C-alpha cells in the first residue's frame, strides 16, 4: 500500500468501490435536534429526511475533528502506507478540508497531501475515485494527488431542490437568492462554482427544472466519454427516471452511479432534491464494477 487514499463521508461513493480500492472514510457529524451521530454510521439519509419533513425539524452538521483525521492517518501509516492522499469536499462549504490539513501537520506534512475537491457529493467522489484508481495503477503520491485535482477541476455538479430554505439556513446560499426564489415560486437549477453553491438559472416549475437539468448535463458531456452520478434525497423514483433518461441521451457514458445523498449534504438540500455530477471518464479504466453502467448498456 504505497499510497493510501482518504476522504470524508460526503463523497457518497458506492460501498463496493470503497472496498475495491480500499478507500478510508472519515465521517462528518450530524445533529438531529439534541441527538448527534456520525454520518453513515449512526445517522443516515432516512433520519434526515424524516426530521426535515416534520414541522419545525432542524438538522445541522459539523466537520470531523483534526483528531478524527489524525487517527485514520496514523492507522494507515502504521499499516504500511508510504504516503496518504486525502481528498475532501469544498473548503468553501465546510471546515473539513482545514481539519484534514491540521491533522496532516500532526502526523507529518511530508506524509499527507490534502486536496480540496472544490465540490461535494460525487463531485468530490469522482476526484477520490480518480486518486484511488491512480494509486491502484502504481502511481506515486504526486501523480495520485494530481489525478484527484485534474478530475475535480473537470467535474460539474448540477442539482434541483424543492425549496431553498435548507440551503439558506445552513448558510450555503445567500438569503436574498433564497427569499427571491420563495417569493416568485421559482425552481432554480443550481450548480457548484468555485466551490460554492450558486443559482445557474431559474425556471417556473419542478418538471421544467429537471428537464433543464438534463439538458445542461447533456451539453456538458459534449460528446466526450464521461462518468455520471445521480443523487437524490428521499426521491428514489425521480432519481431512477433521471438515470434512465441520461442512459438514453448520453451515448458516451462510461459509468453511472445512482445513490442517495447522506445526512451531511442531505441536511442542506432537503427531501426531494435530485442532482447529477458529470466527470471525465477515468484515466485508468477498469472492468465494469458493481453499481456501474458501462456505455454499452446506455
Amino acid at each position: 500500500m504505497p499510497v493510501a487514499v482518504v476522504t470524508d463521508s460526503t463523497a457518497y461513493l458506492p460501498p463496493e468501490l470503497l472496498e475495491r480500492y480500499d478507500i478510508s472514510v472519515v465521517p462528518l457529524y450530524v445533529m438531529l435536534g439534541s441527538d448527534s451521530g456520525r454520518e453513515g454510521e449512526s445517522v443516515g439519509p432516512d433520519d434526515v429526511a424524516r426530521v426535515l419533513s416534520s414541522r419545525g425539524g432542524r438538522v445541522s452538521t459539523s466537520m470531523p475533528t483534526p483528531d478524527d483525521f489524525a487517527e485514520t492517518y496514523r492507522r494507515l501509516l502504521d499499516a504500511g502506507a508510504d504516503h496518504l492522499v486525502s481528498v475532501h469536499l469544498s473548503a468553501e462549504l465546510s471546515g473539513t478540508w482545514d481539519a484534514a490539513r491540521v491533522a496532516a501537520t500532526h502526523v507529518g506534512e511530508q506524509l499527507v497531501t490534502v486536496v480540496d475537491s472544490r465540490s461535494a457529493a460525487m463531485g468530490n467522489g469522482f476526484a477520490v475515485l480518480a486518486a484511488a484508481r491512480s494509486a491502484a495503477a502504481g502511481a506515486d503520491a504526486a501523480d495520485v494527488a494530481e489525478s484527484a485535482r485534474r478530475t475535480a477541476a473537470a467535474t460539474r455538479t448540477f442539482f434541483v431542490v424543492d425549496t431553498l430554505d435548507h440551503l439558506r439556513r445552513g448558510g450555503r446560499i445567500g438569503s436574498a437568492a433564497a427569499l427571491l426564489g420563495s417569493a416568485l415560486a421559482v425552481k432554480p437549477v443550481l450548480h457548484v462554482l468555485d466551490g460554492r453553491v450558486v443559482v445557474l438559472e431559474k425556471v417556473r416549475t419542478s418538471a421544467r427544472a429537471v428537464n433543464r437539468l438534463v439538458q445542461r448535463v447533456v451539453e456538458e458531456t459534449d460528446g466526450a466519454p464521461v462518468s455520471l452520478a445521480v443523487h437524490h434525497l428521499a426521491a428514489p423514483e425521480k432519481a431512477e427516471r433521471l438515470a434512465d433518461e441520461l442512459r438514453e441521451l448520453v451515448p458516451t457514458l462510461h459509468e453511472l452511479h445512482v445513490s442517495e445523498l447522506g445526512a451531511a449534504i442531505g441536511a442542506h438540500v432537503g427531501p426531494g432534491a435530485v442532482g447529477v455530477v458529470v466527470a471525465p471518464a477515468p484515466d485508468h479504466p477498469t472492468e465494469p464494477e458493481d453499481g456501474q453502467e458501462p456505455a454499452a448498456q446506455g
Side-chain angles (χ1 to χ4, degrees), residues 164-165 167-169 171-182:
L164 292 170
D165 288 345
L167 285 164
R168 176 182 58 80
R169 289 172 185 165
R172 268 62 180 185
I173 195 170
S175 295
L179 291 173
L180 180 63
S182 298

Side-chain angles (χ1 to χ4, degrees), residues 106-118:
H106 293 170
V107 303
E109 289 182 282
Q110 75 280 7
L111 299 174
V112 185
T113 301
V114 182
V115 177
D116 180 357
S117 74
R118 307 286 289 171

Side-chain angles (χ1 to χ4, degrees), residues 16-37:
E16 60 272 9
L17 293 183
L18 294 175
E19 181 178 358
R20 175 171 181 150
Y21 292 106
D22 201 19
I23 300 167
S24 296
V25 176
V26 179
L28 274 71
Y29 294 92
V30 181
M31 282 68 73
L32 306 173
S34 60
D35 297 327
S36 176

Side-chain angles (χ1 to χ4, degrees), residues 119-134:
S119 192
M122 281 292 287
N124 177 32
F126 279 127
V128 174
L129 193 53
R133 284 170 168 160
S134 181

Side-chain angles (χ1 to χ4, degrees), residues 3-190:
V3 181
V5 176
V6 180
T7 189
D8 58 77
S9 57
T10 69
Y12 305 134
L13 283 160
E16 60 272 9
L17 293 183
L18 294 175
E19 181 178 358
R20 175 171 181 150
Y21 292 106
D22 201 19
I23 300 167
S24 296
V25 176
V26 179
L28 274 71
Y29 294 92
V30 181
M31 282 68 73
L32 306 173
S34 60
D35 297 327
S36 176
R38 291 188 171 196
E39 178 176 34
E41 295 181 2
S42 56
V43 181
D46 290 346
D47 300 310
V48 170
R50 173 178 48 79
V51 171
L52 291 179
S53 297
S54 63
R55 187 178 183 85
R58 291 292 187 93
V59 178
S60 59
T61 61
S62 178
M63 64 188 181
T65 67
D67 284 346
D68 291 334
F69 280 110
E71 180 182 351
T72 296
Y73 293 165
R74 291 190 180 102
R75 173 177 57 80
L76 292 169
L77 292 167
D78 289 345
D82 295 330
H83 197 97
L84 310 178
V85 174
S86 200
V87 186
H88 301 289
L89 82 159
S90 173
E92 298 285 350
L93 300 175
S94 169
T96 300
W97 172 86
D98 196 52
R101 184 187 56 80
V102 171
T105 67
H106 293 170
V107 303
E109 289 182 282
Q110 75 280 7
L111 299 174
V112 185
T113 301
V114 182
V115 177
D116 180 357
S117 74
R118 307 286 289 171
S119 192
M122 281 292 287
N124 177 32
F126 279 127
V128 174
L129 193 53
R133 284 170 168 160
S134 181
D140 62 18
D143 285 343
V144 170
E146 182 57 28
S147 291
R149 294 190 188 99
R150 186 170 58 251
T151 297
T155 296
R156 299 292 179 264
T157 301
F158 305 95
F159 62 105
V160 175
V161 297
D162 276 353
T163 173
L164 292 170
D165 288 345
H166 303 299
L167 285 164
R168 176 182 58 80
R169 289 172 185 165
R172 268 62 180 185
I173 195 170
S175 295
L179 291 173
L180 180 63
S182 298
L184 299 178
V186 165
K187 295 295 184 183
V189 178
L190 301 143

